C-alpha cells in the first residue's frame, strides 16, 4: 500500500483531537516503497516479524498500544477531521466495545466505483439500524474504534481469520458487549476499480462470512444474547443476494432506457419486442 500510505498518514495527522498518537504497523513483507512512505515525522513505526493482517495488528496492540481507545485504519483510508471526536463520544457506556464509522467511496470515477458508492451509502443506514437492535457484527477496518481494554480482554483479533473484522464483531456480541455505529463520523476508502477486483473482494467477504457463521453457530445459539442469529445473519444473507439483484436491476433499467433510442436510430421495433416480454418495472 505504499502509493496510498503517505496520503493516509498526512490525512490522519490533520485530525482534530488532542494528544493522539499515530502508529504505522508494517508486516515482514512490506516493500521498500511502503517502508519509505511510513517515515513521517511524529509517527510511530512498528515492524512486525511476520505477515498476516490480524496477526500483525495483534502484535502492535499487545506490545505497543496502551491508549484507552484504538482507531483501526487501512492503509488506503481517509477520514474527516472530526472523526475521532465523534467516535469517542459513543463510549459513554462501559458496555460499548467498538464504534464503526460511516464509510464512503473515495473519489469514484468508473461505473463500477459508482455502483459501490451507492451500495456503501445503503450500508451506512443498514449498520445504523443493526446497531440499534444489537446486531451489528462487522467492525470494518476503514475507521472503527475499539475500547483497548475490552479488545485485549477478549483476546484481540483471530490470527488465522481472513475476515477478522466480522469475527471480532461476533465475539464481542456473544461476550455481551455492544457495537455501535456513528452516522456523522465519516471515513473514505479506495474500492476496487474493475469487475475482476470487485469479484475477488466479494468472494473473500462472502467466504469469510460463511466461515464465521460455521465457527460461531454453537456459541451464538447457546448465548443469552443471540441477536447475531436472530437479526444480523439473516440480514447479511439477504444483502448478499440483494447486491447481485441491484446490479441486475441497474443493467435492466439501463437497457429499457436505451432501447427506444436504439429503435429510432436503427428503424427497428426491437424496443417494442423487449417491452412486450419484459414490462418496464423500476428496480
Amino acid at each position: 500500500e505504499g502509493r496510498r500510505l503517505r496520503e493516509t498518514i498526512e490525512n490522519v495527522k490533520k485530525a482534530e483531537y488532542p494528544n493522539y498518537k499515530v502508529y504505522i504497523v508494517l508486516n515482514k513483507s512490506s516493500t521498500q516503497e511502503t517502508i519509505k512512505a511510513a517515515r513521517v515525522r511524529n509517527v510511530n513505526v512498528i515492524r512486525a516479524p511476520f505477515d498476516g493482517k490480524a496477526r500483525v495488528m495483534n502484535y502492535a496492540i499487545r506490545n505497543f498500544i496502551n491508549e484507552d481507545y484504538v482507531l483501526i485504519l487501512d492503509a488506503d483510508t481517509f477520514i474527516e477531521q472530526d472523526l475521532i471526536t465523534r467516535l469517542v463520544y459513543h463510549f459513554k457506556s462501559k458496555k460499548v466495545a467498538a464504534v464503526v464509522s460511516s464509510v464512503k467511496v473515495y473519489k469514484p470515477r468508473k461505473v463500477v466505483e459508482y455502483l459501490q458508492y451507492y451500495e456503501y451509502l445503503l450500508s451506512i443506514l443498514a449498520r445504523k439500524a443493526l446497531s440499534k437492535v444489537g446486531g451489528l457484527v462487522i467492525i470494518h477496518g476503514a475507521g472503527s474504534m475499539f475500547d483497548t481494554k475490552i479488545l485485549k480482554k477478549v483476546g484481540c483479533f483471530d490470527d488465522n481469520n481472513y475476515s477478522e473484522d466480522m469475527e471480532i464483531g461476533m465475539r464481542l456480541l456473544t461476550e455481551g458487549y455492544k457495537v455501535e455505529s456513528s452516522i456523522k463520523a465519516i471515513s473514505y476508502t479506495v474500492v476496487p476499480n474493475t469487475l475482476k477486483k470487485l469479484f475477488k473482494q466479494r468472494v473473500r467477504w462472502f467466504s469469510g462470512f460463511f466461515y464465521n457463521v460455521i465457527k460461531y453457530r454453537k456459541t451464538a445459539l447457546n448465548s443469552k444474547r443471540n441477536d447475531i442469529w436472530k437479526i444480523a445473519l439473516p440480514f447479511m444473507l439477504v444483502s448478499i443476494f440483494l447486491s447481485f439483484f441491484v446490479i441486475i436491476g441497474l443493467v435492466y433499467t439501463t437497457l429499457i432506457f436505451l432501447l427506444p433510442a436504439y429503435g429510432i436510430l436503427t428503424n427497428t421495433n426491437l424496443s417494442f419486442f423487449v417491452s412486450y416480454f419484459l414490462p418496464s418495472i423500476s428496480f
Side-chain angles (χ1 to χ4, degrees):
E1 300 287 357
R3 294 185 299 108
R4 294 282 186 185
L5 182 57
R6 180 61 66 86
E7 294 178 59
T8 300
I9 296 172
E10 295 298 339
N11 167 256
V12 171
K13 289 182 67 179
K14 297 177 183 178
E16 298 173 348
Y17 195 82
N19 303 321
Y20 67 95
K21 295 181 181 179
V22 180
Y23 295 90
I24 306 301
V25 189
L26 305 176
N27 60 4
K28 184 180 180 180
S29 300
S30 291
T31 64
Q32 287 301 315
E33 180 187 24
T34 303
I35 295 172
K36 183 179 180 181
R39 293 170 182 165
V40 180
R41 187 178 180 182
N42 297 326
V43 167
N44 305 279
V45 179
I46 300 170
R47 292 293 304 273
F50 38 69
D51 291 330
K53 182 180 178 181
R55 192 181 179 195
V56 168
M57 287 194 296
N58 288 340
Y59 174 78
I61 293 168
R62 288 167 177 161
N63 297 292
F64 299 94
I65 297 175
N66 297 307
E67 283 71 29
D68 293 335
Y69 307 105
V70 54
L71 173 65
I72 304 293
L73 296 172
D74 292 331
D76 57 357
T77 302
F78 306 93
I79 64 173
E80 294 285 359
Q81 293 183 358
D82 62 351
L83 178 132
I84 299 177
T85 303
R86 292 190 179 279
L87 292 179
V88 169
Y89 171 80
H90 287 264
F91 288 94
K92 294 179 292 183
S93 170
K94 293 183 179 180
K95 279 293 183 179
V96 175
V99 184
V100 302
S101 66
S102 296
V103 190
K104 296 184 178 181
V105 173
Y106 181 71
K107 295 182 178 179
R109 294 182 178 87
K110 298 182 178 180
V111 173
V112 67
E113 292 174 314
Y114 273 104
L115 286 174
Q116 295 171 84
Y117 173 82
Y118 292 108
E119 178 195 15
Y120 275 54
L121 290 181
L122 290 173
S123 296
I124 291 172
L125 299 177
R127 290 194 185 101
K128 189 63 178 180
L130 286 170
S131 69
K132 287 291 186 181
V133 294
L136 181 57
V137 295
I138 298 180
I139 309 176
H140 58 73
S144 293
M145 183 176 286
F146 292 86
D147 183 309
T148 311
K149 289 183 179 179
I150 295 177
L151 184 58
K152 291 181 178 181
K153 183 179 178 181
V154 299
C156 296
F157 298 97
D158 184 350
D159 284 346
N160 302 312
N161 199 305
Y162 54 90
S163 293
E164 77 290 331
D165 54 351
M166 178 185 295
E167 191 279 335
I168 190 63
M170 288 183 167
R171 185 145 35 106
L172 288 172
L173 289 188
T174 55
E175 291 287 339
Y177 293 104
K178 293 181 180 179
V179 178
E180 294 192 357
S181 172
S182 175
I183 289 288
K184 295 183 179 180
I186 308 295
S187 60
Y188 303 88
T189 185
V190 178
V191 297
N193 58 4
T194 65
L195 287 174
K196 183 179 179 180
K197 291 179 181 178
L198 179 61
F199 180 78
K200 185 178 180 180
Q201 180 198 62
R202 296 312 165 95
V203 167
R204 180 175 62 83
W205 285 6
F206 297 158
S207 60
F209 166 75
F210 290 111
Y211 174 84
N212 285 309
V213 167
I214 294 171
K215 176 179 178 179
Y216 275 92
R217 65 189 188 280
K218 292 182 179 179
T219 306
L221 288 172
N222 293 331
S223 174
K224 293 181 180 179
R225 287 184 53 82
N226 60 350
D227 295 328
I228 294 176
W229 286 97
K230 290 189 298 184
I231 302 167
L233 296 188
F235 181 90
M236 293 174 69
L237 279 170
V238 171
S239 71
I240 289 174
F241 296 104
L242 187 61
S243 62
F244 293 107
F245 180 78
V246 169
I247 293 174
I248 294 171
L250 286 170
V251 173
Y252 171 82
T253 304
T254 303
L255 286 174
I256 293 298
F257 179 76
L258 294 177
L259 278 173
Y262 174 82
I264 294 171
L265 292 172
T266 60
N267 195 27
T268 68
N269 62 350
L270 179 63
S271 60
F272 300 101
F273 175 79
V274 174
S275 297
Y276 179 80
F277 289 100
L278 298 174
S280 183
I281 301 172
S282 174
F283 280 85

